[in-house]
Amino acid sequence: MVDGAGTAQRAIEAVWRIEAGRLVAGLARVTGDVGLAEELAQDALVVALEQWPVSGIPPNPAGWLMTTAKNRGIDAARRRGTYQRKLEEIGRDQELSTGGRGDDLEDALDDDIGDDLLRLLFTACHPVLSVESRVALTLRCLGGLTTSEIARGFLIPEKTAGQRISRAKKTLTDNGVVFAMPDAAERAARLGSVLEVVYLIFNEGYAAHAGDDWMRPALCQEALRLARLLATLVPDDPEVHGFAALLELQASRIPARTTADGDPVLLLDQDRRRWDRTLLRRGLESLARAEQLASAPGTDAPALGAYAIQAEIAACHARAATPAETDWRRISALYVLLRHAWPSPVVELNRAVAVGFAEGPERGLAVVDAIAGTPALASYPQLPAVRADLLARLGRTAEARESYEAAAALSGNAREREVYAAKARATG
């Protein structure tokens, strides 16, 4: 049923968020070209935007998008003279020539790895691309994020993000990079970029930088699935298990991160009884596995890295039944380790929070003020938000209110903006 252009628009946006990665990955299997696959997926999105408001939302929107995109991919392959070869490779000549169903085609494209998304991850993280381009391209292809959202995630201008994506696709094409899973040695070389990309996808789902929703759980679920898959693919790497532990532990808080109306609930205000115990247990088990691998006698495995240290921090919160029981001194010490493993002004800002609880708000404020002039944080709303919390605890209410207002002005997320505005009003 057609129930308005607005409903169709929301349905398209929701389906796109979930299915964009699978669409691009499936098309890349057919075309062998990541850039072309991304363009074909966008074509399917455009067709949906044109047809759904008129013809109504199809019963299976995801399947409709997948079929439309794949049909266009097959047409493109035919035009490029590779249609017959591709048909022979996947052994589905008859079904494809008679318009076989999208699900059947998808099944035919499965291989020994069994996950197009993971293959797409490693392809997009090819060394011919800069690190920035790898991340931007993968976020676009797998996460379905807009150029604007990617720009916000990297604290860069939108134009710069768009240029990175365009250059990445062109570079892959110019260098003849094929859509294929690299061998074991090459996978190991690209693993760091893959983890970085998956973590950014998770973070965009965990705290959306823009839009009306505080979270995008589908992105978190996809990132979590990829993290588990990576842990299976690279079972002896402590950092991969630490990475999986970090995502499991953070994802365990998702049920408590919003009210029934979708309003954000910050960490210290959450009802910890609502934390997902299964994910929490899985996270602690993965962390234990990471520690076991890193400390095994005679092992060549590297020591715990940045993701595992962050998982240790998340575990400190997970083990505390109430905020008052949180071991802030241990968390503060872990942030010192993390600062060496992964220097970043955002890490330092998080350390300021821990220092504020472990040693008092005045010490935390000193850490914040030391990084307040960092250019990369100029548009980062959490900087004035953290500063406001510390100022409020020091009784400097006028300054705290001003900082909360600054945080609200910087935030691109409607829910987050309202949280900071409400704190400003409550500060007096």
Side-chain angles (χ1 to χ4, degrees):
M1 294 289 292
V2 180
D3 52 359
T7 299
Q9 178 75 32
R10 287 192 294 274
I12 293 169
E13 291 175 354
V15 172
W16 181 253
R17 289 293 185 201
I18 298 170
E19 296 296 328
R22 294 181 68 242
L23 280 170
V24 175
L27 284 164
R29 285 291 308 278
V30 174
T31 64
D33 185 325
V34 174
L36 177 60
E38 203 270 337
E39 292 171 9
L40 291 168
Q42 292 285 338
D43 285 348
L45 175 63
V46 170
V47 176
L49 289 168
E50 292 172 347
Q51 294 188 6
W52 291 9
V54 177
S55 61
I57 302 169
N60 181 2
W64 188 98
L65 271 177
M66 181 69 80
T67 300
T68 301
K70 285 180 175 176
N71 285 341
R72 286 173 174 258
I74 291 169
D75 289 343
R78 182 188 292 118
R79 289 194 298 270
R80 293 164 58 206
T82 59
Y83 180 61
Q84 189 58 43
R85 180 173 60 81
K86 292 297 180 185
L87 290 179
E88 292 172 354
E89 288 178 358
I90 62 178
R92 298 299 299 266
D93 306 58
Q94 184 61 38
E95 286 193 27
L96 287 178
S97 63
T98 57
R101 293 169 50 244
D103 289 347
D104 295 335
L105 176 58
E106 186 179 4
D107 291 341
L109 292 173
D110 284 344
D111 70 351
D112 57 329
I113 298 296
D115 196 290
D116 281 346
L117 290 171
L118 191 59
R119 186 181 302 99
L120 179 58
L121 266 177
F122 277 93
T123 301
C125 292
H126 196 281
V128 297
L129 301 178
S130 68
V131 171
E132 293 82 3
S133 295
R134 296 173 201 174
V135 175
L137 178 63
T138 309
L139 282 172
R140 176 65 173 267
C141 292
L142 276 95
L145 303 188
T146 66
T147 303
S148 174
E149 290 167 337
I150 295 170
R152 285 180 177 277
F154 288 109
L155 306 176
I156 58 175
E158 185 173 339
K159 181 179 180 181
T160 302
Q163 289 172 337
R164 286 181 184 176
I165 295 167
S166 297
R167 280 200 301 266
K169 290 188 289 189
K170 185 175 186 302
T171 300
L172 289 178
T173 300
D174 290 348
N175 286 272
V177 175
V178 297
F179 179 68
M181 182 64 78
D183 60 28
E186 187 59 29
R187 286 204 299 269
R190 299 186 201 176
L191 187 57
S193 289
V194 170
L195 295 181
E196 182 180 11
V197 168
V198 176
Y199 193 37
L200 284 166
I201 292 172
F202 181 88
N203 283 338
E204 181 58 33
Y206 196 66
H209 286 84
D212 296 329
D213 295 325
W214 171 239
M215 294 188 298
R216 295 170 181 158
L219 286 179
C220 290
Q221 293 167 7
E222 191 57 42
L224 193 55
R225 187 182 73 83
L226 291 168
R228 292 169 180 165
L229 199 59
L230 284 167
T232 302
L233 191 66
V234 195
D236 297 326
D237 191 311
E239 185 66 341
V240 172
H241 287 279
F243 180 75
L246 173 61
L247 267 55
E248 299 273 11
L249 290 168
Q250 289 189 315
S252 73
R253 303 175 196 158
I254 287 177
R257 277 176 57 78
T258 56
T259 66
D261 295 329
D263 293 330
V265 181
L266 303 182
L267 175 61
L268 299 183
D269 299 324
Q270 292 171 12
D271 180 353
R272 300 185 178 209
R273 294 170 299 180
R274 296 182 60 200
W275 287 1
D276 189 310
R277 296 295 153 185
T278 299
L279 293 179
L280 197 153
R281 175 182 55 76
R282 289 180 63 109
L284 294 177
E285 288 175 352
S286 293
L287 182 56
R289 177 61 176 159
E291 293 169 339
Q292 180 187 39
L293 288 169
S295 61
T299 180
D300 293 328
L304 291 181
Y307 294 114
I309 295 171
Q310 291 178 81
E312 292 275 7
I313 293 170
C316 287
H317 292 295
R319 293 182 177 115
T322 66
E325 296 176 51
T326 305
D327 188 348
W328 287 107
R329 290 197 175 277
R330 176 169 169 75
I331 292 175
S332 180
L334 286 167
Y335 270 117
V336 173
L337 290 178
L338 183 59
R339 181 175 58 180
H340 291 289
W342 195 354
S344 157
V346 174
V347 169
E348 194 65 358
L349 183 61
N350 290 333
R351 189 176 76 85
V353 176
V355 169
F357 282 106
E359 303 176 29
E362 193 163 2
R363 297 293 295 273
L365 187 61
V367 177
V368 172
D369 287 344
I371 59 173
T374 305
L377 295 179
S379 60
Y380 194 58
Q382 282 70 36
L383 174 67
V386 169
R387 193 168 191 277
D389 287 342
L390 294 165
L391 287 167
R393 289 169 57 196
L394 287 168
R396 295 162 60 176
T397 54
E399 295 171 85
R401 183 176 61 252
E402 185 178 336
S403 286
Y404 280 133
E405 290 171 347
L410 286 174
S411 178
N413 184 281
R415 298 282 187 172
E416 183 182 65
R417 193 160 51 242
E418 178 53 32
V419 167
Y420 294 147
K423 282 180 173 285
R425 292 192 295 270
T427 302

